[in-house]
Amino acid sequence: MRAVYPGSFDPFTPGHLDVVNRARALFDEVVVLVAVNGLKHPGTGEEERAAAVRAILPVEWTTVTVAAWRGLTSAYCHRHDAGVIVRGVRNTTDLHNEYQLAAMNQSLGVPTVFLPAQPELAAVSSTAVRTLTPER
């Protein structure tokens, strides 16, 4: 089964990498979907962020691909024969927000699997990394 792991990935963090690694153990293929979120204003475009993710992924992870996408994740899943969405959750706030998205995607025919963050990575967020990283 092909799984899709969507996010803005601005930037791609060690927590994201861990979720991809665990997802690839569960699914035949994993697509890291660098998506556009109208509520977020990333420092770079989705194609640039996708290239940055590709550069981070180990070359031996041959079942993992990266794609940029503008549109609903469920539409990508239907168009590319992906049967499930993977989402990482760090805390109860994430779970609450992700649950609402999962319910919407389920109503559109695509279930979601939640992978809890490893405890040592739970405090890492893209926002925190951006705040601590000098001008990109």
Side-chain angles (χ1 to χ4, degrees):
M1 176 182 290
R2 178 178 295 134
V4 171
Y5 177 40
S8 55
F9 304 120
D10 182 38
F12 195 74
T13 68
H16 295 137
L17 187 64
D18 181 66
V19 169
V20 173
N21 188 33
R22 289 188 291 141
R24 70 188 192 93
L26 297 171
F27 302 101
D28 299 320
E29 297 176 52
V30 177
V31 178
V32 178
L33 190 66
V34 180
V36 174
N37 179 336
L39 301 175
K40 296 183 179 182
H41 305 285
T44 59
E46 66 271 13
E47 292 292 344
E48 292 166 284
R49 286 180 281 129
V53 172
R54 281 185 202 98
I56 291 169
L57 295 175
V59 295
E60 62 272 12
W61 289 9
T62 56
T63 60
V64 178
T65 57
V66 180
W69 179 254
R70 287 181 170 266
L72 293 177
T73 300
S74 60
Y76 180 93
C77 291
H78 289 300
R79 188 170 294 167
H80 295 92
D81 196 30
V84 67
I85 296 169
V86 173
R87 296 298 293 165
V89 291
R90 294 169 297 172
N91 51 44
T92 56
T93 301
D94 276 1
L95 183 59
H96 177 75
N97 296 333
E98 294 296 342
Y99 183 82
Q100 292 175 342
L101 285 172
M104 180 194 70
N105 285 318
Q106 180 70 44
S107 74
L108 296 171
V110 187
T112 299
V113 171
F114 296 122
L115 294 178
Q118 299 292 347
E120 65 275 13
L121 297 172
V124 178
S125 72
S126 290
T127 302
V129 171
R130 275 195 315 276
T131 303
L132 297 172
T133 304
E135 237 1 81
R136 294 183 283 152

